[in-house]
Each structure stands twice: as structure tokens, then as C-alpha cells.
């Protein structure tokens, strides 16, 4: 067996794995997705798109092989939900399959036949991607903007956290529905605002602001961008 020496080794952990905090960055979803794709590829059930084909999705909006990626998505979602004991949002699995995108989750009832005790449902039938109803829309940040990770030094036990949220929604349906609605509206406005900024990328003042912002404290950058782009982004939102 020949060892691939081109891959960089993992960075060493400062502490033993048992005492290392969970990051909560979706590493389990990434592992499940990668393993699912590797097994399906090894068994010649499907072929993965090339890196160039996958990258083109974010510029063209066309999936390189929607059926193959759909199979990986449904298989990985099922495996992850089975391991967690609950159907979650599925966004971490979807991100591992499709990369950066705007996501609308699949109907949890799709997986019910497989998650029920003693189920004899057909894996091939339930995991057929043509029967799944999630929404995947390509997305990218405006030029010059990037996400910065804040390490909170701890993760969340997803199954117990989800159970707590579901219990709260059941006990306080009106309060939870109101908050859910506000979150949805806020997320939608953020997407529209970022899309509005993307539409301005070719304008001279956009680049000028980026150059000027590079040497300013973050508080001034936020204020600067707000004054320049907020009225126009708001107009985009309300079109």
C-alpha cells in the first residue's frame, strides 16, 4: 500500500482528545458527508464532479451533476439524522455537499419511514433525491467581504439542544412562532442586502470604500459601509 505524502499532517491538539472542547463547526456532518461520498464512489454507484465543475456552480448556478450530489445529500442526511436520533435542520450536511448556498430544509417527514422503530421501508425509495424537497440556491459574499470565525471555546450537544428548542416551541407556540418569523425576515433582509452590495461591485466608489476601509478600525468600517450602502441596499430589499 502506497502512502500519499502530499497531504499535510493534522495540526497537533494542545490537549488530549477527551479534554478538547467540541467546536460546533459541523465536523461530524463533514465527516459523514465525505464518508458517504467515498463509499458511493468506491462502489461505482456514482461519480463525483471535478473541483472545477463544483466551483462553477457558484458562478453559473448550474449543478455539475445534480443527481449524484442529490444521492450523496440524501444518504448523508439520513446517516447523520440516524446517528443524532433526530431530524435536524440538515444545513451542515447540505453545506458539505453543495458549498456556500442559501438553504431551505427538506420536509422532516421524508425520513420518517426510515427512522421509525421496526421500519421496513426501502432505502432506495426513501433516499431517492427526486423525492426530496429542499431548496438549494448558490450564494457568495460581495467582493472584499469575508466571514471571520469567533471561537467560543465550546460546542453544543446538538440532540439535547434541539430537544430543548422543540420543547420550548411546543410549550410556547405563539412566542416561538413570532421569534421564528422575525429570524426568517432578518435572514431574508440580510441576503437581499448582500445581493444588493454585489450588484454594486463594478462601481468605482465600491472599490474606493474597500481601499479606505482596509486601514480603519472595524467600528469605523461598519459605520462607513452603513452610511454609503444602507440606503441603496434598502432600496434593493424593497423592490
Amino acid at each position: 500500500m502506497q502512502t500519499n505524502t502530499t497531504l499535510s499532517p493534522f495540526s497537533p491538539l494542545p490537549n488530549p482528545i477527551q479534554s478538547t472542547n467540541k467546536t460546533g463547526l459541523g465536523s461530524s456532518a463533514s465527516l459523514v458527508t465525505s464518508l458517504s461520498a467515498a463509499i458511493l464512489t468506491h462502489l461505482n454507484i456514482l461519480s463525483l464532479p471535478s473541483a472545477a465543475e463544483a466551483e462553477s456552480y457558484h458562478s453559473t448556478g448550474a449543478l455539475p451533476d445534480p443527481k449524484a450530489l442529490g444521492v450523496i445529500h440524501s444518504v448523508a442526511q439520513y446517516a447523520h439524522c440516524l446517528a443524532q436520533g433526530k431530524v435536524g435542520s440538515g444545513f451542515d450536511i447540505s453545506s458539505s455537499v453543495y458549498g456556500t448556498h442559501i438553504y431551505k430544509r427538506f420536509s422532516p417527514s421524508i425520513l420518517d419511514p426510515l427512522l421509525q422503530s421496526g421500519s421496513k421501508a426501502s432505502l432506495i425509495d426513501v433516499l431517492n433525491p427526486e423525492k426530496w424537497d429542499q431548496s438549494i440556491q448558490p450564494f457568495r459574499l460581495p467582493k472584499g467581504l469575508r466571514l471571520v470565525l469567533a471561537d467560543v471555546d465550546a460546542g453544543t450537544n446538538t440532540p439535547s439542544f434541539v430537544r430543548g428548542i422543540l420543547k420550548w416551541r411546543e410549550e410556547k407556540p405563539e412566542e416561538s412562532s413570532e421569534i421564528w418569523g422575525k429570524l426568517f425576515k432578518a435572514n431574508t433582509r440580510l441576503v437581499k442586502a448582500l445581493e444588493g452590495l454585489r450588484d454594486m461591485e463594478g462601481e468605482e466608489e465600491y472599490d474606493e470604500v474597500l481601499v479606505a476601509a482596509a486601514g480603519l478600525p472595524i467600528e469605523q468600517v461598519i459605520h462607513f459601509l452603513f452610511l454609503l450602502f444602507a440606503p441603496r441596499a434598502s432600496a434593493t430589499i424593497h423592490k
Side-chain angles (χ1 to χ4, degrees), residues 174-194:
E174 293 184 2
E175 177 183 344
S176 61
S177 294
E178 181 182 0
I179 293 177
W180 240 248
K182 289 181 179 179
L183 286 173
F184 175 77
K185 290 179 179 179
N187 287 337
T188 301
R189 291 187 63 192
L190 175 60
V191 168
K192 292 296 184 182
L194 292 174

Side-chain angles (χ1 to χ4, degrees), residues 116-137:
Q116 293 171 355
S117 178
S119 171
K120 296 183 180 180
S122 167
L123 276 171
I124 294 178
D125 183 55
V126 175
L127 299 182
N128 181 353
E130 294 180 359
K131 296 185 177 182
W132 286 55
D133 59 354
Q134 74 278 357
S135 172
I136 307 298
Q137 179 184 341

